[in-house]
Amino acid sequence: MTALSTERQTSLASQALIALGLAAGPVVALGFTRFAYALLLPPMHQELHWSYAQAGGMNTANALGYILGAAGAAFWARKRGSRAAFLWSLALSGVALLATAATASLPVLLGLRFAGGFTTAVAFVVGSALASRIAVGAVQRRSALLVAVYMTGVGIGVVISGLVVPAALSSGDAGWRTGWLLMGVLAMIALVPAWLGARAVAEATGTHAATLSGEQIRRLGPTFAWYILFGAGYVSYMTFVIALLKSQGLGASMTALFFVVLGVASVVATLSVWGHLVGRLRAGRAPALVAALVFLGVLPVLLMPAGPVAALLSAVVFGGGFMAGPTAATVIARRMLPASGWTAGIALLTVAFSVGQAVGPLLSGLMSDGEGGIARGLWLSAGLLVLAALTALVQREHTAS
């Protein structure tokens, strides 16, 4: 092995560690704030006497906050600096999680979910831009791999949630409160690796656009449409799949295993497959492939006989694809936009993603309250993912300008 190749490997290893530190952002933003709710929904639904529409409305409130947070992320990064915006928004996300444990009031909980959505969106978008800048000037494949390392934070957060929340729920009637409390404490601990990662990335220099031009937005139009449909489809599944599995008779240990397997599949696939593949696929092929795989991941719990086999197969396939969506979106923004537009581009794409995430759980919840139950709501998820895959294929490749 030559000295040059050794130096390159050392450089990649150090850059990967920086991306892993930044990955504390998606650990909290999605792993804890967004997806842990799927485990906490059944006891909250039962003990607080919610309808499925109200339960879905909690994630809709979170997604509405996410929309506003994503829309303002470029502003806060420009005003406060990327590192400060990332760390402060992450800290406030932890406060929102802690506060969720302190109340049973639906209006207050909706407000906290909204606030948590706002702060986590800023953290996620700015963290994505920081991850994109770790290796400025590097080949696309290295940048895509580092973005993928950043996105593994979601799977890591899902695994932690799958281990911690079921243990909290076993503590008694107030178990859902304990679950939110533990998520908040862990979010505060996550500030340490987040700070270490953020301080290693230089602040952006030069003029950085707060918005994109009309032409740049039009060029990425199919990707925006894909992200709306993908967000609506995948989050409907993530919101209600645990409730479905419980209604099919699976116990707490099985649903916890499902969540852990889903998270592990996400981490492994993001690093071993998507981190390499997304950087190679052009135009809308990567988003289309992601949506198609996630669609296949929904089908086992809908078509196969209820039981552990269907649940775990769904966890592996769905988990292997769902966080490749944000990876693909971030890489497309980096590839097709000038560096000055990366934060704004990622922010606008995240807004599109959040619009889908706001609408999906509410519609799925309304359908689940009717005849056919939760399975009917999850068929909506499957249909939206098919539409997302077809829409992504319309995207054409453009040079950064």
Side-chain angles (χ1 to χ4, degrees):
M1 183 179 293
T2 66
L4 180 59
S5 62
T6 302
E7 182 181 347
R8 285 175 177 171
Q9 287 189 359
T10 302
S11 175
L12 178 58
S14 62
Q15 289 170 343
L17 285 175
I18 294 169
L20 193 59
L22 293 173
V27 165
V28 176
L30 295 176
F32 294 171
T33 302
R34 176 61 59 83
F35 297 139
Y37 176 62
L39 289 167
L40 293 159
L41 183 153
M44 294 179 77
H45 171 259
Q46 181 178 358
E47 293 174 26
L48 301 179
H49 308 292
W50 289 347
S51 67
Y52 281 117
Q54 288 174 315
M58 286 280 285
N59 256 7
T60 294
N62 184 259
L64 289 173
Y66 210 86
I67 291 170
L68 294 179
F75 167 79
W76 289 112
R78 190 176 70 257
K79 185 177 180 64
R80 299 296 182 188
S82 295
R83 287 178 291 193
F86 174 66
L87 294 170
W88 275 108
S89 58
L90 202 58
L92 292 172
S93 301
V95 172
L97 288 170
L98 291 170
T100 303
T103 181
S105 167
L106 181 61
V108 176
L109 286 170
L110 286 169
L112 287 170
R113 290 293 286 168
F114 176 89
F118 183 94
T119 56
T120 55
V122 175
F124 183 77
V125 170
V126 177
S128 298
L130 286 169
S132 296
R133 290 207 302 270
I134 293 173
V136 173
V139 295
Q140 285 287 347
R141 279 178 286 180
R142 173 174 286 202
S143 177
L145 180 59
L146 293 172
V147 170
V149 172
Y150 171 77
M151 294 297 176
T152 61
V154 180
I156 293 169
V158 169
V159 171
I160 294 172
S161 299
L163 295 173
V164 171
V165 172
L169 294 177
S170 67
S171 65
D173 292 339
W176 65 266
R177 293 182 186 270
T178 305
W180 286 116
L181 181 64
L182 290 174
M183 292 295 98
V185 171
L186 290 172
M188 292 304 185
I189 294 173
L191 285 170
V192 176
W195 174 75
L196 292 172
R199 73 171 187 166
V201 182
E203 286 286 357
T205 57
T207 301
H208 289 264
T211 60
L212 301 181
S213 69
E215 177 60 25
Q216 288 170 330
I217 293 174
R218 282 191 294 274
R219 287 181 178 182
L220 291 176
T223 297
F224 284 106
W226 157 75
Y227 220 14
I228 292 172
L229 293 166
F230 181 78
Y234 104 96
V235 84
S236 297
Y237 172 95
M238 285 298 294
T239 300
F240 291 109
V241 66
I242 296 296
L244 174 68
L245 296 179
K246 285 186 174 293
S247 73
Q248 294 176 341
L250 273 67
S253 59
M254 190 63 229
T255 54
L257 178 61
F258 167 89
F259 223 66
V260 170
V261 169
L262 188 149
V264 170
S266 174
V267 172
V268 172
T270 301
L271 286 177
S272 64
V273 178
W274 298 112
H276 302 280
L277 187 60
V278 168
R280 297 174 184 269
L281 296 176
R282 295 304 183 191
R285 295 186 187 91
L289 181 60
V290 169
L293 181 63
V294 174
F295 160 72
L296 293 176
V298 176
L299 294 183
V301 295
L302 294 174
L303 297 178
M304 293 176 63
V309 173
L312 293 178
L313 179 60
S314 182
V316 170
V317 179
F318 187 96
F322 82 109
M323 277 320 296
T327 303
T330 301
V331 170
I332 285 176
R334 190 186 190 279
R335 189 172 71 235
M336 297 194 191
L337 297 173
S340 62
W342 288 353
T343 301
I346 293 168
L348 283 177
L349 282 167
T350 305
V351 168
F353 193 38
S354 303
V355 169
Q357 291 180 103
V359 175
L362 185 57
L363 291 178
S364 185
L366 289 169
M367 292 180 69
S368 297
D369 281 326
E371 186 178 349
I374 305 171
R376 184 183 177 206
L378 289 186
W379 275 113
L380 172 66
S381 172
L384 290 169
L385 289 166
V386 171
L387 289 176
L390 295 174
T391 301
L393 292 175
V394 180
Q395 179 67 60
R396 296 291 177 261
E397 186 73 16
H398 299 284
T399 56
S401 61

